[in-house]
Amino acid sequence: MLSKKIYEKINTLIETKDIVLNANMAKYCTLKLGGNVTALVNVSDEKQIIHAISIAKEFGLPYHIIGNGSNIFVYPEKYNAVIIKISKNMANISIEGDILIVQGGTSLALLSQKAMEFGLSGLEFAVGIPGTIGGAVYMNAGAYGSEIKDVLIRANTISENGDVFVRTNEELDFKYRYSKLQNNNEIVISASFKLEKGDSNAIKALGDGYKAKRIATQPIGIPSCGSTFKRPINNIAAKLIDECGLKGYRIGGCSVSKKHAGFLVNDNNGTADDYYKLIMDVRNIVLQKTGIYLDTEVQILGG
Ligand SMILES: Cc1cc2nc3c(=O)[nH]c(=O)nc-3n(C[C@H](O)[C@H](O)[C@H](O)COP(=O)(O)OP(=O)(O)OC[C@H]3O[C@@H](n4cnc5c(N)ncnc54)[C@H](O)[C@@H]3O)c2cc1C
């Protein structure tokens, strides 16, 4: 059996407890739905990442790196692929003055919290973003007018062959929800951020304000990937969806949040088909009514 052979090869470097065969991706993403993949491998260092990639390639399978799974959706019911999850063992944070050096598996929200505790300003915007540093750099995550690109100095990356790079902010070519990593497939091992020393109380107040705003305006606690669509040029996806009368629009167990039209949520045991059809319906209706095409921000794996 293919998965047994893959397991045996991966297991030469990665412990049994870190390999899940026929993994149901609903368990590994904030959307809480999605298909099954051939294997999910929790990796703890560069060597294990390269090893898992090489085994996937040996068996002719696609592979995907994931962090916290807060912006991914595995669409096929059965997806022959290897998912390589950057584990919590790659989550070290060190601080040198106003510079934070963090590993790729670090929680962005936790880092934002720590920065506030250290009296460092610049990451308050990230207080409620449930991703890892790797996912945040890859996506150039942002909120409330700030983005990762505003604070990142450099990222240490590896290629799928194990070549090591130090990528500067400029080299990462950040744009709205884009970094060069989306084209060169390099993997973030760690990143350095330059913050500003400031007044702890003021920094905390700003972060708390953003947190309160999220709670007031977003369906926090209901499975989702956050905003499903990117902002179209000179427009706002949530506004367009709302103006098309789609708040509450439902396909099976998934719907357009009534609280925030940009969030497509899995609010009643939805399936991957429900979520996919909902994306397509919302996109088509908005296109018909406004002429504007909504591109997905959520990364659809295997779709
Ligand atoms: C409730 C909620 C609120 C959200 N709010 C925001 C928001 O305000 N702003 C915002 O920008 N996003 C937001 N998001 C989306 C999401 O949290 C971000 O995109 C986050 O940065 C994704 O990080 P992740 O670790 O979960 O990445 P994943 O979802 O695991 O992966 C996303 C992409 O990053 C790649 N990737 C992951 N780790 C690495 C790595 N180490 N090296 C290279 N590539 C990697 C993956 O291959 C994938 O293509 C929200 C999501 C939710 C559920």
Side-chain angles (χ1 to χ4, degrees), residues 65 67-71 130-132 134-136 138 141-142 177 188 214 224-226:
I65 304 292
N68 195 41
S70 63
N71 207 23
T132 60
Y138 179 95
R177 297 299 174 269
V188 177
R214 271 183 194 273
S224 80
C225 283

Side-chain angles (χ1 to χ4, degrees), residues 13-14 43-54 90 158 162 189:
L13 195 68
I14 297 173
V43 291
S44 297
D45 58 31
E46 292 93 316
K47 243 177 140 175
Q48 292 191 347
I49 296 172
I50 301 305
H51 177 67
I53 291 175
S54 72
M90 292 179 72
I158 52 168
I189 301 303

Side-chain angles (χ1 to χ4, degrees), residues 96 99-102 133 137 148-149 151-157 165-172 174 181 188-194:
E96 291 172 12
I99 296 186
L100 294 173
I101 303 152
V102 293
I133 291 302
V137 176
I148 284 293
K149 81 162 174 30
V151 283
L152 182 134
I153 313 171
R154 68 184 79 85
N156 291 67
T157 67
F165 301 95
V166 180
R167 297 296 185 195
T168 62
N169 185 306
E170 291 69 31
E171 282 177 302
L172 287 166
F174 287 118
L181 303 173
V188 177
I189 301 303
S190 65
S192 304
F193 298 94
K194 168 106 173 67

Side-chain angles (χ1 to χ4, degrees), residues 21 60-61 102 128 138 151 159 168 201 207 222 227 252 254 271 294 296:
L21 294 179
L61 297 180
V102 293
Y138 179 95
V151 283
S159 71
T168 62
N201 290 334
I222 301 176
S227 297
C254 295
T271 63
L294 295 179
T296 45

